[in-house]
Amino acid sequence: MKFFQAVSRWSKNHKFFLTSFGVLAGGGSSLIYALEQSIKASNDAALVPKQKWNHNGWFDTLDHASVRRGWEVYKNVCAACHSVEYLAYRELVGVCLTENEAKAEAAEQMIEDGPDETGAMFKRPGKLSDLIPKPYPNEEAARYANNGAYPPDLTYITQARIDGENYIFSLLTGYMDPPEGVVIAENQHFNPYFPGGAIGMAQALYDEIIEYEDGTPATQSQCAKDVVTFLKWCAEPEHDTRKLFAMKAFTILGVLNLVVWYLHRHYWSVLKTRKIFQSPKSVFKK
């Protein structure tokens, strides 16, 4: 009631401004929603099913065993064509590998460095501070090796695609024979989750394509789940820390709210409970 009483005392200009703002905000939001839905409707790819990811909850962390297995899938399968060029070996320490394992992985790579004292570039074994090298020296070489298709970098791929994890999982597990009447060009493969249905990347994951070090059965869906979790970590290495900070912040804010509520009642209780008595004085003297 107090709110409506306050509104009734607003000036016409005030009411007109707030009404216009509400109409524009609501209309703009509806337009954006309609455009987004039209874009999705115009996409000729199949609807991506939702998966239950361990890290989807507000306070759920990444499955780090899956992250480690995902590194194995990437290293043994995906790294032949796709890069993670913004990821350094040192970032794998404590997540996918021990420090010694990461140093050994880096040392297997010959990194171009220099110039030396003669001005020439040279090759040296990799170090923890080095970025993970790309499989191809440049885009032209990548296209030549893949029949004109350019394998994208995977460092931030889960953020670069709509519904990233679900889309990548469906893409990796969705290969099938083209339906009747659908013609696929040479060196193309049918995948209903890829826009247009024809994709240059051949099916990469099969049952038992690798052997996990921890003994987990390497089914196609397990490999896809693990590599997607690894790519989620690549894109958001601060994922778990961010949620931990959120838990701490909500806890602190909850305590502060109780303190503020108590202080509010304490300081305003005097004014809210006071009583004012009027004792008029007579204007006439006795």
Side-chain angles (χ1 to χ4, degrees), residues 13-29:
N13 290 336
H14 193 181
K15 292 179 180 178
F16 176 78
F17 172 77
L18 290 178
T19 302
S20 301
F21 178 78
V23 171
L24 290 174
S29 301

Side-chain angles (χ1 to χ4, degrees), residues 46-56 157-159 161-174 191 193 224-225 228-229 232:
L47 183 64
V48 174
K50 303 292 184 182
Q51 307 295 333
K52 292 185 178 181
W53 299 98
N54 296 336
H55 52 268
N56 272 356
I157 195 69
T158 58
Q159 293 182 332
R161 300 292 184 268
I162 297 176
D163 201 10
E165 296 104 304
N166 293 316
Y167 168 75
I168 297 171
F169 179 88
S170 298
L171 188 72
L172 292 174
T173 59
N191 192 313
Y193 299 106
K225 182 254 186 185
V228 169
T229 305
K232 175 68 174 179

Side-chain angles (χ1 to χ4, degrees), residues 269-284:
S269 61
V270 178
L271 293 177
K272 288 186 175 182
T273 58
R274 69 178 178 174
K275 295 182 180 180
I276 300 176
F277 295 95
Q278 182 181 10
S279 54
K281 295 183 180 179
S282 175
V283 296
F284 300 103

Side-chain angles (χ1 to χ4, degrees), residues 49-215:
K50 303 292 184 182
Q51 307 295 333
K52 292 185 178 181
W53 299 98
N54 296 336
H55 52 268
N56 272 356
W58 281 23
F59 303 112
D60 292 334
T61 61
L62 290 168
D63 181 353
H64 283 267
S66 183
V67 173
R68 288 190 288 272
R69 292 193 299 268
W71 162 252
E72 295 181 47
V73 177
Y74 168 77
K75 180 180 67 173
N76 293 291
V77 181
C78 309
C81 299
H82 294 274
S83 62
V84 282
E85 61 177 307
Y86 303 106
L87 186 68
Y89 283 104
R90 67 173 181 270
E91 297 177 79
L92 300 175
V93 176
V95 179
C96 304
L97 303 170
T98 65
E99 183 174 350
N100 290 333
E101 289 172 339
K103 286 181 178 179
E105 291 272 1
E108 292 177 1
Q109 304 295 329
M110 297 304 294
I111 307 297
E112 185 177 26
D113 204 348
D116 58 14
E117 60 275 6
T118 65
M121 304 299 287
F122 60 93
K123 295 281 189 177
R124 60 162 177 80
K127 301 182 293 187
L128 286 180
S129 57
D130 291 321
L131 297 174
I132 297 175
K134 297 185 288 186
Y136 303 105
N138 50 58
E139 180 178 342
E140 287 71 21
R143 290 188 181 277
Y144 180 78
N146 292 277
N147 300 306
Y150 182 56
D153 180 79
L154 300 182
T155 313
Y156 300 106
I157 195 69
T158 58
Q159 293 182 332
R161 300 292 184 268
I162 297 176
D163 201 10
E165 296 104 304
N166 293 316
Y167 168 75
I168 297 171
F169 179 88
S170 298
L171 188 72
L172 292 174
T173 59
Y175 286 87
M176 61 180 65
D177 295 330
E180 188 70 25
V182 176
V183 179
I184 301 297
E186 186 180 0
N187 297 321
Q188 295 282 305
H189 309 273
F190 182 75
N191 192 313
Y193 299 106
F194 189 77
I199 184 173
M201 182 180 75
Q203 182 173 346
L205 299 181
Y206 298 89
D207 292 342
E208 307 299 333
I209 191 171
I210 66 170
E211 186 176 344
Y212 283 130
E213 293 181 0
D214 63 0

Side-chain angles (χ1 to χ4, degrees), residues 30-41:
S30 301
L31 177 61
I32 292 173
Y33 177 78
L35 290 174
E36 181 183 6
Q37 296 303 311
S38 66
I39 291 173
K40 291 181 178 179

